[in-house]
Amino acid sequence: MPSGRVHEAINLSVLGVACVAYIAYKPSLGLSEPLALAFAGSYLLGTFLVTPDLDLAENRVRAKGRWGVVGFFWIPYGLMFAHRGLSHTWLAGPLTRVAYMGVVGFLLYGLARALLGYLGVHLELGAHWQAPPSDVLWALVLGYYTSQWLHLIADGIWPDTDFRYARRRRR
Ligand SMILES: [Zn+2]
């Protein structure tokens, strides 16, 4: 099983090749820079900060360390997910981490709102929130998923694992 450092090196090498290909074939690809940047941004996020190995966050793990002082927020995720279980599946695995961040973010927002409300400050982020255009959103999703899939391939896990996992669960 590759270490966190090896996973990062693999992902960065692939991104490097993709960057060269993008620059070389840019005119014929018709892919705008904002889309390429959105892809690369979420790809890097998935390479360094939100990796499948966070299922080990109850221990020392590279990605958790990269979060610095807020790395401990991942410990419940590590406790909830067995190493190389659902967290290491192709479709649901990456989603579990996004959903987890969503839940933690929502709870923190609620807490901040309640505390500030207690102090008489009204916090309302919803009013300023605007979803990015759908093509940017897709580039973000694709970048994140690609980084996760490369991790799984390096771990020797192929898409058929999802089916086997589902079957094992049903039994
Ligand atoms: Zn792994």
Side-chain angles (χ1 to χ4, degrees), residues 1-2 7 51-53 55-56 83-84 88 151-152 155 157:
M1 177 174 74
H7 276 301
T51 77
D53 287 345
D55 58 14
L56 287 171
H83 185 44
R84 297 184 143 217
H88 277 64
H151 177 112
L152 295 180
D155 274 357
I157 296 168

Side-chain angles (χ1 to χ4, degrees), residues 131-145:
S134 67
D135 51 351
V136 173
L137 215 56
W138 274 112
L140 290 171
V141 170
L142 214 63
Y144 171 60
Y145 262 85

Side-chain angles (χ1 to χ4, degrees), residues 6 23 37 44 50 57 63 65 67 71 76 81-82 85 94 99 101 106 127 152 162 164 166-167 171:
V6 171
I23 292 163
L37 276 179
L44 288 172
V50 189
W67 283 84
F81 292 91
M101 286 190 289
F106 185 77
L152 295 180
D162 283 34
R164 261 184 285 138
R167 226 179 305 144
R171 241 185 265 147

Side-chain angles (χ1 to χ4, degrees), residues 16-145:
V17 172
C19 278
V20 172
Y22 175 73
I23 292 163
Y25 297 104
K26 201 177 152 207
S28 52
L29 276 174
L31 199 65
S32 75
E33 269 150 22
L35 287 188
L37 276 179
F39 177 91
S42 71
Y43 181 96
L44 288 172
L45 193 85
T47 296
F48 292 109
L49 288 170
V50 189
T51 77
D53 287 345
L54 283 168
D55 58 14
L56 287 171
E58 70 272 32
N59 307 309
R60 278 174 62 98
V61 58
R62 204 170 164 87
K64 184 180 87 172
R66 291 214 181 269
W67 283 84
V69 285
V70 293
F72 68 88
F73 278 118
W74 284 102
I75 292 175
Y77 181 86
L79 292 171
M80 263 188 287
F81 292 91
H83 185 44
R84 297 184 143 217
L86 184 64
S87 61
H88 277 64
T89 53
W90 279 60
L91 289 178
L95 267 184
T96 61
R97 290 177 283 286
V98 172
Y100 180 78
M101 286 190 289
V103 170
V104 170
F106 185 77
L107 291 177
L108 287 179
Y109 174 64
L111 194 69
R113 242 181 88 121
L115 280 175
L116 287 172
Y118 182 73
L119 297 173
V121 183
H122 187 64
L123 181 68
E124 194 60 72
L125 286 180
H128 307 290
W129 163 252
Q130 211 185 349
S134 67
D135 51 351
V136 173
L137 215 56
W138 274 112
L140 290 171
V141 170
L142 214 63
Y144 171 60
Y145 262 85

